[in-house]
């Protein structure tokens, strides 16, 4: 089949090609306070908070508490625990938050920098994703991750940019390996879907070398990528075996008309 697929786009650009457009920014602007969102994240949320596509994904698109920081979480934990610390000094010494409690907030940065929290592992909630506040002046800053079993001070690099993080999240959502949310929402919005075998994917004659591949968060041995054909409104999600490089399967989403 003769189709002209596109391979280079951000998630926001792809969503807009699919007919999902930016809505009222009031929800974001009312919450930002002294935190200015990186341009890539702001543009994405301006679209994503007005659709349910990401309601079970690893990026937060809740209309409440979109703008939340690590220091906000620390303050909440202190508020929850401080009355027990006053009664039990031994418990206080065991709590990592007690050290923050005993310091002025302006000195917290000496223990751990603040992070803008942008998501978590939705199914388990054991991992949080964030952007260091010192990087927020970048249009597309790197994203770090924190595991709940680690010290609050231990944040590890996760992706080189917000754009990469969002595409990784969207590819996982499109694959429906963990949740069928995207398939259900797209179907409600008039999109057809079809599970594809390796042979069926090859019939689309796409340039596989041009497809950007992202490691799946939910399938540890898989790489995911997508391509979009604007004339036919066809979105392909492709899954590869990371070890062998072989195509495993895919999903085709298509719609007759984009209004």
């Amino acid at each position: 089949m003769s189709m002209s697929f596109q391979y280079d786009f951000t998630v926001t650009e792809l969503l807009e090609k699919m007919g999902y457009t930016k809505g009222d920014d009031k929800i974001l602007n009312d919450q930002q306070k002294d935190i200015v969102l990186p341009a890539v994240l702001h543009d994405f949320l301006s679209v994503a908070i007005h659709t349910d596509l990401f309601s079970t994904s690893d990026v937060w698109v809740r209309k409440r508490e979109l703008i939340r920081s690590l220091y906000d979480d620390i303050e909440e934990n202190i508020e929850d625990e401080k009355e027990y610390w006053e009664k039990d000094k031994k418990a206080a010494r065991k709590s990592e938050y007690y050290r923050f409690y005993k310091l002025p907030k302006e000195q917290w940065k000496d223990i751990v920098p603040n992070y803008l929290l942008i998501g978590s592992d939705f199914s388990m909630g054991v991992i949080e994703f964030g952007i260091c506040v010192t990087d927020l002046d970048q249009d597309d800053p790197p994203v770090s991750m924190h595991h709940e079993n680690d010290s609050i001070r231990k944040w590890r690099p996760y992706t080189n940019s917000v754009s990469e993080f969002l595409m990784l999240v969207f590819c996982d959502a499109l694959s429906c390996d963990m949740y069928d949310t995207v398939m259900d929402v797209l179907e409600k919005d008039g999109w057809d879907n079809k599970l594809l075998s390796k042979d069926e994917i090859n019939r689309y004659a796409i340039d596989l070398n041009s497809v950007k591949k992202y490691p799946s968060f939910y399938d540890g041995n898989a790489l995911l990528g997508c391509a979009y054909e604007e004339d036919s409104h066809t979105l392909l999600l492709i899954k590869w075996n990371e070890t062998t490089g072989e195509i495993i399967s895919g999903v085709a989403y298509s719609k007759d008309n984009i209004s």
Side-chain angles (χ1 to χ4, degrees):
M1 56 183 73
S2 179
M3 303 175 81
S4 179
F5 279 95
Q6 300 171 35
Y7 309 99
D8 189 14
F9 38 70
T10 66
V11 171
T12 305
E13 290 168 344
L14 179 55
L15 290 173
E16 291 179 332
K17 292 176 188 293
M18 296 171 68
Y20 296 96
T21 56
K22 294 179 181 178
D24 184 2
D25 277 349
K26 186 176 186 303
I27 296 168
L28 289 176
N29 295 336
D30 286 350
Q31 294 188 40
Q32 285 195 45
K33 302 174 185 177
D34 58 341
I35 290 181
V36 178
L37 295 178
V40 167
L41 182 60
H42 185 280
D43 289 348
F44 166 76
L45 290 175
S46 294
V47 177
I49 61 177
H50 301 289
T51 171
D52 291 327
L53 282 170
F54 297 89
S55 59
T56 54
S57 73
D58 289 351
V59 62
W60 289 342
V61 292
R62 300 171 303 181
K63 293 185 179 180
R64 294 181 180 178
E65 297 185 347
L66 275 170
I67 315 302
R68 184 169 184 80
S69 74
L70 174 62
Y71 285 4
D72 291 332
D73 276 2
I74 292 173
E75 286 181 323
E76 281 194 6
N77 277 280
I78 289 173
E79 197 61 34
D80 290 341
E81 296 184 30
K82 64 182 182 181
E83 63 177 283
Y84 301 105
W85 293 337
E86 298 303 327
K87 299 174 184 175
D88 187 344
K89 298 299 182 183
K90 186 176 180 181
R93 289 192 294 271
K94 289 182 178 180
S95 172
E96 194 169 13
Y97 295 104
Y98 185 70
R99 184 178 176 189
F100 292 91
Y101 176 53
K102 299 302 287 183
L103 287 174
K105 189 173 180 179
E106 55 268 22
Q107 292 183 25
W108 288 4
K109 65 181 184 299
D110 297 333
I111 304 175
V112 62
N114 198 8
Y115 284 81
L116 172 67
L117 304 178
I118 63 171
S120 63
D121 172 8
F122 191 92
S123 65
M124 300 173 68
V126 298
I127 291 174
E128 286 188 316
F129 303 102
I131 303 167
C132 189
V133 295
T134 57
D135 293 332
L136 289 178
D137 58 347
Q138 300 178 33
D139 286 343
D140 198 6
V143 175
S144 300
M145 62 173 284
H146 172 262
H147 193 285
E148 68 175 3
N149 289 333
D150 291 334
S151 164
I152 199 170
R153 295 170 293 169
K154 188 174 182 179
W155 283 77
R156 313 173 194 178
Y158 187 61
T159 62
N160 293 323
S161 66
V162 174
S163 293
E164 184 182 350
F165 172 75
L166 294 175
M167 188 59 75
L168 185 157
V169 167
F170 195 32
C171 285
D172 256 327
L174 286 167
S175 73
C176 296
D177 278 340
M178 182 61 67
Y179 300 101
D180 292 335
T181 303
V182 163
M183 193 173 286
D184 292 341
V185 173
L186 288 178
E187 190 173 284
K188 183 179 176 182
D189 291 344
W191 291 78
D192 295 322
N193 62 76
K194 181 184 178 183
L195 299 179
L196 302 175
S197 66
K198 175 182 176 181
D199 289 340
E200 288 172 318
I201 292 171
N202 288 330
R203 290 191 199 118
Y204 283 89
I206 65 175
D207 182 0
L208 292 172
N209 291 325
S210 295
V211 179
K212 296 181 180 180
K213 301 177 180 67
Y214 303 88
S216 170
F217 189 83
Y218 294 105
D219 186 341
N221 194 38
L223 295 174
L224 303 172
C226 58
Y228 189 73
E229 213 284 325
E230 204 155 355
D231 292 336
S232 63
H233 316 305
T234 299
L235 172 62
L236 294 184
L237 184 283
I238 307 166
K239 178 187 285 191
W240 290 264
N241 182 299
E242 185 174 16
T243 303
T244 66
E246 292 290 314
I247 292 176
I248 301 172
S249 61
V251 186
Y253 296 95
S254 59
K255 188 175 183 179
D256 289 338
N257 293 294
I258 301 292
S259 58

